[in-house]
């Protein structure tokens, strides 16, 4: 399931997986998601609204925050009429595993498996062993005889899943878990190029004018309760997403640009677009739920959060993907099992057999505890934080059972400033915060030189980043104090803390930064506190449990918050983070020029011109210091030596096609 759920560049996030936590947004993370970017090895990238069943008051607040999006009446013309006037262009329908196999044929291994398993990864400064390990172990099996199809893989996640409903997922854990259970009609490869998955699709065509997409589904797809998956499920899911009562803002983004989705029969779907844009290819990539299951329950509870029926569906979801949920021990583990009905129909194998019989997700919040579990073999993969990469993941005990690899990932971390706070309304103050922060100490001491300083939302290697990139901020206390003086923040009572008269009242410059209880983010927060104390600003650290922090961010109930964003498949989805009034715009930033540029970016088809537009967005955001951008972080992963087939994209090893589905266990 490669949904593009918003993205931090999207899949924005509250990152908490293995130690760094974020304040919201894709990724996809994360199950494979195209709307919202990302997964994060330093934390958990989120991309949903993060609300579980709650009180009526919570419901009221969510609905008021979310803009009403009602479908206008629409009479779909007959399919024959559309076919007669439209010139269709075939799009890519492919088996992602087959696509990877063809790519690997062009990439001869740099060494053999036996040698790779003995290597120690000394990145940095040397990347040679890292490349050899990835080259030799990141390959598909030559035959089924190499694969242990009875294997269990024990994966690490840094937080529990709140929802198993694909329309409501909001965290990396939920993306990972629900993505394996969900129907993946569309996806994208490691180059972020779109595709339709041949496991579900016969043909996919786009009209030459970009106003229609037509999809023909296979007729051998079944939900886990035995009911056939049809085009009616896709049409129904679209209508649920667009219902203002459903409260699923993450999947609404992009989907709301579709005029209508019509099922003409059980296999044929036509998507009607409101306008011709280069991002329509991503807008049609929304998650799907079974109509026969939800059609009646939604009438009673359109939020899908409050009724007993929906609570039961959370525990026993009806799924259409390769795996089904068999156990959810809250706070401990989530267990999925391979679903025979996915690849076997009427006694015949119709799809590839998934490589693992069982997938266990062990929930371990503390990265040090997770590393110990990896060393003992009680988990078999994990995202590794910078401090552990150079210490605990670098000794003989680690290499007894494991190896480790790294690759470029388009993930950035930041401090988000609430521009509605009296402290951070003024751009000069936000710039002063960035000048005061000791960026070099963070990179060198907190993260062992593994990360690079960040200079805005888009990664330097991405096509949409400005050329040249802005220079990252460096600590300059004199400049910080000068900017604060200009903004009127001075120490008028000589108590060591700056103050300013606001609405007739003298206000001390004392604020709180919220962050989850993860070691790396706590260290960043403490460094911020120390840095600001040198310029007469008092910073308090407020540790907040992940799900509560996520809701605080969505509600804008913070002054500053630590976070991170992964990447989506397309930069347009970052509109949800920075455009005026958008759902993931936690800092309540508003700039008409930014809004105008995002609108232009969604209408421009020329790739180079689009890059210029998003480059301008990047530069303006960096000038305004909506965030204090901290660092870009590579993927850093540890894998048990029995595992093969891992390959990385700008969204890590999982959040693309084939992603996790290419990983397999070698025969013992």
């Amino acid at each position: 399931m490669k949904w593009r759920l918003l993205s931090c560049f999207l899949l924005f996030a509250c990152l908490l997986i293995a130690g760094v936590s974020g304040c919201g947004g894709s990724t996809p993370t994360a199950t494979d998601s195209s709307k919202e970017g990302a997964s994060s090895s330093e934390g958990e990238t989120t991309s949903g609204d993060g609300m579980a069943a709650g009180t009526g008051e919570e419901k009221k607040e969510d609905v008021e925050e979310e803009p009403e999006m009602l479908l206008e009446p629409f009479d779909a013309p007959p399919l024959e009429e559309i076919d007669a006037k439209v010139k269709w262009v075939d799009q890519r329908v492919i088996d992602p595993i087959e696509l990877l196999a063809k790519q690997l044929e062009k990439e001869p291994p740099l060494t053999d498996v036996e040698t790779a398993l003995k290597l120690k990864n000394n990145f940095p400064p040397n990347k040679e062993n890292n490349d050899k390990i990835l080259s030799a172990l990141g390959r598909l099996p030559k035959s089924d005889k190499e694969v242990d199809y009875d294997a269990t893989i024990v994966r690490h996640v840094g937080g529990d899943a709140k929802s198993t409903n694909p329309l409501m997922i909001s965290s990396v854990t939920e993306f990972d878990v629900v993505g394996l259970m969900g129907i993946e009609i569309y996806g994208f490869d490691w180059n972020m190029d779109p595709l339709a998955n041949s496991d579900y699709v016969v043909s996919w065509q786009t009209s030459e004018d970009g106003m229609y997409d037509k999809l023909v589904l296979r007729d051998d797809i079944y939900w886990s309760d035995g009911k056939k998956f049809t085009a009616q499920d896709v049409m129904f899911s679209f209508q649920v997403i667009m219902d203002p009562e459903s409260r699923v803002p993450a999947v609404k983004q992009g989907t709301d640009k579709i005029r209508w989705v019509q099922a003409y029969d059980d296999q044929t779907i036509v998507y009607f677009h409101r306008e011709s844009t280069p991002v329509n290819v991503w807008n049609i990539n929304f998650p799907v739920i079974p109509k026969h299951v939800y059609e009646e329950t939604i009438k009673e509870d359109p939020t899908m959060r409050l009724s007993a029926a929906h609570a039961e569906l959370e525990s026993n979801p009806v799924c259409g993907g390769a795996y089904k949920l068999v156990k959810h021990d809250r706070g401990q583990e989530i267990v999925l099992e391979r679903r025979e009905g996915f690849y076997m129909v009427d006694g015949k194998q119709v799809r590839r057999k998934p490589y693992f019989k069982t997938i266990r997700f062990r929930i371990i919040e503390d990265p040090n505890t997770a590393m110990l579990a990896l060393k003992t073999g009680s988990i078999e993969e994990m995202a590794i934080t910078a401090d552990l990469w150079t210490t605990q993941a670098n000794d003989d005990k680690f290499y007894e059972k494991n190896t480790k690899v790294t690759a470029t990932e388009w993930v950035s971390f930041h401090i988000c400033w609430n521009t509605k706070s009296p402290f951070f309304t003024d751009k000069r103050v936000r710039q002063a915060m960035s000048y005061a922060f000791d960026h070099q100490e963070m990179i060198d001491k907190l993260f062992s030189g593994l990360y690079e300083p960040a200079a805005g939302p888009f990664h330097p290697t991405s096509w949409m980043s400005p050329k040249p990139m802005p220079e990252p901020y460096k600590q300059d206390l004199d400049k910080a104090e000068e900017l604060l003086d200009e903004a009127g923040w001075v120490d008028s009572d000589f108590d060591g803390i700056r103050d300013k008269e606001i609405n007739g009242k003298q206000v001390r410059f004392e604020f709180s930064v919220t962050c989850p209880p993860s070691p790396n983010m706590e260290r960043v927060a403490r460094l911020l506190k120390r840095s600001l104390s040198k310029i007469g600003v008092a910073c308090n650290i407020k540790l907040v449990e992940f799900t509560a922090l996520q809701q605080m961010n969505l509600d804008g109930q913070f002054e500053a918050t630590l976070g991170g964003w992964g990447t989506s498949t397309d930069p347009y989805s970052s509109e949800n983070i920075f455009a005026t009034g958008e759902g993931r715009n936690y800092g309540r930033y508003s700039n008409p020029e930014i809004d105008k540029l995002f609108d232009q970016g969604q209408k421009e088809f020329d790739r180079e011109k689009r890059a210029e537009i998003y480059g301008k967005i990047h530069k303006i955001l960096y000038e305004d210091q909506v965030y204090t951008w901290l660092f870009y972080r590579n993927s850093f992963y540890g894998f048990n030596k029995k595992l093969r087939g891992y390959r990385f994209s700008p969204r890590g090893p999982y959040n693309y096609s084939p992603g996790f589905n290419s990983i397999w266990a070698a025969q013992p």
Side-chain angles (χ1 to χ4, degrees), residues 574-590:
S574 57
E575 177 183 26
N576 190 256
I577 304 171
F578 299 115
T580 302
E582 290 291 339
R584 299 311 176 79
N585 188 345
Y586 297 164
R588 300 332 193 231
Y589 172 73
S590 179

Side-chain angles (χ1 to χ4, degrees), residues 236 240 289 294-302 304 310:
F236 172 76
V240 172
I289 57 176
Y294 284 91
E295 190 171 26
E296 294 302 321
T297 63
I298 282 178
K299 292 178 182 178
E300 175 190 351
D301 173 24
M304 297 179 288
H310 288 134

Side-chain angles (χ1 to χ4, degrees), residues 317-604:
V318 176
C319 52
Y323 290 87
K324 62 182 179 180
L325 179 70
V326 295
K327 180 182 179 182
H328 188 176
D329 187 357
R330 292 284 176 184
Q332 299 298 317
E333 71 172 356
I334 303 167
V335 182
L336 307 182
E337 282 191 359
R338 185 169 57 216
R339 195 168 68 85
E340 186 171 294
F342 168 75
Y343 64 97
M344 298 291 295
V345 175
D346 297 331
K348 297 181 180 179
Q349 184 168 338
V350 297
R351 295 175 185 81
R352 293 179 185 274
K353 184 177 181 179
Y355 287 133
F356 293 99
K357 180 180 181 180
T358 306
I359 303 172
R360 292 178 56 210
F361 292 89
R362 281 198 60 195
I363 302 162
I364 306 175
E365 293 188 3
D366 179 62
N368 293 288
T369 304
M371 177 56 66
L372 179 61
L374 186 66
K375 286 184 172 184
T376 60
S378 56
I379 63 172
E380 295 169 328
E381 65 83 48
M382 68 173 284
I384 303 176
T385 57
D387 56 330
L388 294 178
W389 176 271
T390 56
T391 56
Q392 295 300 311
N394 209 33
D395 58 21
D396 291 340
K397 183 66 175 175
F398 173 84
Y399 282 108
E400 283 180 14
K401 296 181 182 294
N402 307 287
T403 188
K404 63 181 184 180
V405 288
T406 183
T408 299
E409 185 175 357
W410 295 349
V411 174
S412 64
F413 286 79
H414 57 258
I415 304 165
C416 175
W417 308 108
N418 191 332
T419 62
K420 298 305 180 185
S421 163
F423 300 114
F424 304 117
T425 301
D426 192 320
K427 175 176 72 174
R428 293 170 296 184
V429 175
R430 301 192 298 269
Q431 291 173 338
M433 299 298 99
S434 299
Y435 277 119
F437 186 72
D438 195 336
H439 299 267
Q440 200 63 47
E441 180 176 341
M442 175 190 67
I443 296 295
D444 293 343
K445 295 185 178 180
L446 300 190
F447 300 124
S448 305
L450 292 175
Y451 303 155
E452 59 179 306
F458 302 137
H459 194 277
T461 62
S462 67
W463 63 266
M464 71 288 293
S465 65
K467 309 295 188 289
M469 284 282 287
E471 286 295 321
Y473 269 71
K474 295 180 179 179
Q475 188 179 55
D476 186 336
L477 298 179
D478 291 338
K479 182 65 174 178
E481 291 191 312
E482 177 185 330
L483 287 166
L484 289 177
D485 289 343
E486 290 178 8
W489 289 97
V490 296
D491 186 5
S492 64
D493 56 6
F494 303 103
D495 66 349
I497 302 298
R498 292 174 180 268
D499 54 78
K500 181 180 180 179
E501 184 177 316
I502 300 176
N503 296 326
K505 181 180 178 181
Q506 208 67 22
V507 177
R508 280 166 52 91
F509 202 143
E510 182 173 4
F511 73 96
S512 294
V513 58
T514 59
C515 78
S518 74
N520 281 345
M521 285 291 95
E522 287 183 52
R523 294 186 188 107
V524 172
R526 289 196 294 269
L527 178 57
L528 175 66
K529 179 183 178 74
R530 291 198 308 273
S531 298
L532 295 182
S533 69
K534 298 177 181 180
I535 59 170
V537 175
C539 173
N540 303 309
I541 300 171
K542 182 186 294 185
L543 299 179
V544 182
E545 183 269 332
F546 171 67
T547 54
L549 176 60
Q550 186 181 17
Q551 193 59 43
M552 289 172 65
N553 291 332
L554 285 164
D555 294 339
Q557 298 301 311
F558 65 89
E559 293 164 321
T561 187
L562 286 162
W565 284 116
T567 183
S568 70
T569 48
D570 192 281
Y572 89 97
S573 57
S574 57
E575 177 183 26
N576 190 256
I577 304 171
F578 299 115
T580 302
E582 290 291 339
R584 299 311 176 79
N585 188 345
Y586 297 164
R588 300 332 193 231
Y589 172 73
S590 179
N591 185 328
E593 186 176 2
I594 288 288
D595 299 341
K596 181 179 178 181
L597 286 167
F598 271 121
D599 184 60
Q600 292 175 1
Q602 291 196 44
K603 296 177 180 177
E604 177 57 64

Side-chain angles (χ1 to χ4, degrees), residues 10 15 19 70 95 97 134 146 231 248 368 379 404 409 493 514 529 591 616 664:
L10 223 125
L15 306 169
L70 296 175
D95 175 354
I97 296 291
L134 274 175
E146 292 186 70
V248 288
N368 293 288
I379 63 172
K404 63 181 184 180
E409 185 175 357
D493 56 6
T514 59
K529 179 183 178 74
N591 185 328
K616 289 178 182 178
W664 53 285

Side-chain angles (χ1 to χ4, degrees), residues 27-270:
T27 212
T29 250
T31 67
D32 304 334
S33 159
S34 62
K35 248 189 185 175
E36 183 168 333
S39 65
S40 164
S41 66
E42 293 295 336
E44 184 166 353
T45 302
T46 67
S47 52
D49 65 357
M51 284 293 292
T55 66
E57 182 178 31
E58 288 170 325
K59 175 182 174 184
K60 181 172 182 283
E61 289 175 355
D62 268 9
V63 173
E64 288 178 350
E65 268 193 10
E66 200 174 309
E68 195 168 280
M69 300 178 187
L70 296 175
L71 284 175
E72 301 168 2
F74 184 82
D75 292 324
L79 183 58
E80 295 78 11
E81 180 181 319
I82 298 173
D83 285 338
K85 72 176 183 179
V86 165
K87 182 176 181 180
W88 294 109
V89 178
D90 290 334
Q91 302 294 337
R92 189 166 60 155
V93 178
I94 195 165
D95 175 354
I97 296 291
E98 180 182 320
L99 181 67
L100 178 58
K102 291 180 179 179
Q103 179 62 32
L104 289 172
E105 290 177 0
K106 306 173 187 176
E107 303 174 4
L110 300 177
T111 188
D112 59 84
V113 169
E114 184 178 355
T115 300
L117 290 173
K118 294 177 181 178
L119 293 174
K120 291 190 175 182
N121 193 332
N122 54 354
F123 175 90
N126 194 316
K127 200 170 180 289
E128 181 179 353
N129 284 355
N130 180 76
D131 291 344
K132 288 181 177 179
I133 294 167
L134 274 175
S135 174
L137 302 183
R139 310 192 78 80
L140 295 169
K142 295 178 181 178
S143 73
D144 283 350
K145 293 180 180 180
E146 292 186 70
V147 182
D148 181 2
Y149 279 100
D150 292 325
T152 294
I153 182 173
V154 187
R155 293 180 58 180
H156 167 250
V157 288
D160 206 342
K162 290 181 63 178
S163 180
T164 57
N165 184 329
L167 300 189
M168 296 169 61
I169 58 176
S170 62
S171 68
V172 169
T173 300
E174 290 162 351
F175 272 100
D176 283 346
V177 173
V178 182
L180 292 166
M181 298 190 293
I183 285 177
E184 180 192 328
I185 297 175
Y186 301 102
F188 49 91
D189 62 23
W190 49 90
N191 294 317
M192 306 292 199
D193 293 329
L195 57 85
N197 193 327
S198 61
D199 280 345
Y200 299 95
V201 176
V202 175
S203 66
W204 170 30
Q205 297 173 306
T206 300
S207 64
E208 197 171 54
D209 64 3
M211 294 298 293
Y212 306 89
D213 277 273
K214 182 169 71 171
L215 190 79
V216 178
L217 295 169
R218 291 172 55 157
D219 63 357
D220 58 358
I221 311 164
Y222 290 86
W223 295 101
S224 56
D225 63 359
K227 300 290 186 180
K228 182 171 281 191
F229 168 74
T230 72
Q232 302 296 331
D233 295 309
V234 180
M235 180 177 174
F236 172 76
S237 300
F238 169 72
Q239 293 171 340
V240 172
I241 292 168
M242 295 305 298
D243 184 343
E245 294 297 316
S246 64
R247 293 158 55 205
V248 288
V251 296
K252 270 191 172 73
Q253 188 202 20
T255 308
D256 60 4
K257 301 296 192 297
I258 301 172
R259 179 66 185 85
W260 187 254
V261 175
Q262 181 66 40
Y264 282 95
D265 53 42
D266 282 352
Q267 272 70 58
T268 308
I269 306 162
V270 173

